[in-house]
Amino acid sequence: MRKEQVVLVTGAARGIGKEICLNMAKEGYDVSVNYRTKTDEIEELKSKIESYGVKCALVQGDIGSFEECENMVRETVEALGKIDILVNNAGITKDGLLMRMSKEDFTKVVDINLVGTFNMTRNVIPLMVKQRYGRIINISSVVGVAGNAGQTNYSASKAGIIGFTKSLAKEVASRNILVNAIAPGFVVTDMTKVLSDEQKESINTMIPLKRMGTPEDIAKAVKFLSSEDSSYITGQVLHVDGGMLM
Ligand code: NAP
């Protein structure tokens, strides 16, 4: 049954973002799907979302651009009426040891992952303040907390998201807006496809639950943080990593 609530998910054409959209649709939320690259699959995703009896909007744009984020928010409101939940999911990696990392590779990752989260949130928050309701869920990472050799740029951006989450949670709590982060461990998507079988095996030995996560593991956490069951939780980092970090 439709929940009459609208969720906007960034970077939702594939991977974790796509799974979040499908799970939220199944749960009855209307879904605005942000995608950057146009593919045939994006229309298929829209049809699949609508097959759950909810509405779907497709909003194209790059979260690295403040103006494009402004447009995506406007287009979502025009199509679906409002935004109750924002999931800042889009993210990139450009891995390499610091000794060899270019300034471009460092700033690009911070510009998309961290500044992109600001760009979307800055455009959504006035609407949420006005309606005195909102949920913001930022996708961080286990490496934003623990660090990881070869990922200084990515870890810095994901750690920045945690500081951003906590500060904003304090700013907007009085307006009934909850802001939380999810820190996934290693999840099976295109982002981790580059890992060799050997690397995957060695990662599994570091995970008490002995497997990498699935996009659905993360989508379930998003569902919880969007629901009334989490109405007394804000400024937190929910670790969904099979016990990797404890
Ligand atoms: P993915 O499969 O690589 O998908 C990333 C998505 O983000 C793609 O749809 C991509 O769109 C989109 N995107 C990238 N840059 C964008 C931009 N500038 N504007 C709009 N969309 C953009 O990654 P994933 O594994 O699903 O990761 C999703 C989130 O979880 C990321 O924030 C990632 O850092 C985080 N995370 C992932 C893991 C993991 O192990 N997979 C672990 C911890 C955290 P295009 O198709 O146009 O490239």
Side-chain angles (χ1 to χ4, degrees):
M1 205 173 68
R2 275 188 63 208
K3 268 202 162 57
E4 310 289 343
Q5 283 204 349
V6 178
V7 59
L8 166 56
V9 185
T10 67
R14 54 194 171 92
I16 294 171
K18 180 178 177 180
E19 197 58 37
I20 292 171
C21 290
L22 291 169
N23 270 264
M24 294 301 277
K26 233 183 268 178
E27 205 57 21
Y29 294 91
D30 292 335
V31 184
S32 179
V33 177
N34 157 244
Y35 65 101
R36 181 178 57 169
T37 314
K38 179 95 181 146
T39 61
D40 291 344
E41 283 105 77
I42 198 76
E43 288 295 338
E44 272 171 43
L45 177 60
K46 184 174 194 282
S47 305
K48 210 157 175 206
I49 287 171
E50 287 170 343
S51 74
Y52 293 112
V54 301
K55 294 187 200 161
C56 177
L58 297 177
V59 295
Q60 188 168 17
D62 182 334
I63 61 157
S65 156
F66 190 82
E67 289 68 32
E68 288 184 33
C69 291
E70 205 173 2
N71 290 340
M72 289 187 255
V73 170
R74 189 178 25 80
E75 287 167 21
T76 300
V77 174
E78 276 168 12
L80 304 175
K82 57 178 182 158
I83 299 169
D84 299 291
I85 304 151
L86 167 65
V87 185
N88 283 308
N89 164 78
I92 58 165
T93 52
K94 283 193 184 293
D95 297 349
L97 295 174
L98 185 90
M99 284 277 281
R100 286 195 289 268
M101 188 176 289
S102 66
K103 184 165 183 275
E104 287 67 34
D105 280 358
F106 190 87
T107 50
K108 182 74 189 167
V109 170
V110 173
D111 274 351
I112 300 301
N113 297 359
L114 180 58
V115 183
T117 296
F118 164 80
N119 290 341
M120 281 307 297
T121 308
R122 176 65 184 81
N123 280 293
V124 167
I125 214 83
L127 306 175
M128 290 185 170
V129 166
K130 208 164 159 205
Q131 72 197 10
R132 296 189 84 81
Y133 183 88
R135 300 284 171 97
I136 295 178
I137 301 163
N138 298 321
I139 307 298
S140 177
S141 168
V142 62
V143 307
V145 182
N148 195 23
Q151 291 198 306
T152 50
N153 49 1
Y154 183 76
S155 312
S157 72
K158 294 296 182 178
I161 285 176
I162 293 174
F164 175 86
T165 299
K166 293 182 179 183
S167 298
L168 184 63
K170 289 184 178 182
E171 283 184 25
V172 297
S174 64
R175 309 301 169 103
N176 196 26
I177 301 169
L178 309 182
V179 190
N180 290 290
I182 293 173
F186 288 90
V187 181
V188 183
T189 67
D190 291 347
M191 198 174 263
T192 48
K193 218 164 58 181
V194 290
L195 298 169
S196 65
D197 285 346
E198 209 175 39
Q199 283 172 314
K200 283 182 193 157
E201 247 169 59
S202 120
I203 287 168
N204 283 346
T205 63
M206 297 187 295
I207 306 171
L209 289 180
K210 295 283 171 244
R211 67 167 176 89
M212 282 174 64
T214 63
E216 198 174 5
D217 290 322
I218 313 306
K220 283 180 187 163
V222 170
K223 214 160 66 179
F224 169 64
L225 289 174
S226 302
S227 76
E228 278 313 298
D229 292 343
S230 64
S231 57
Y232 198 53
I233 300 175
T234 196
Q236 301 305 307
V237 181
L238 179 55
H239 291 265
V240 185
D241 62 5
M244 204 174 156
L245 192 79
M246 56 171 100

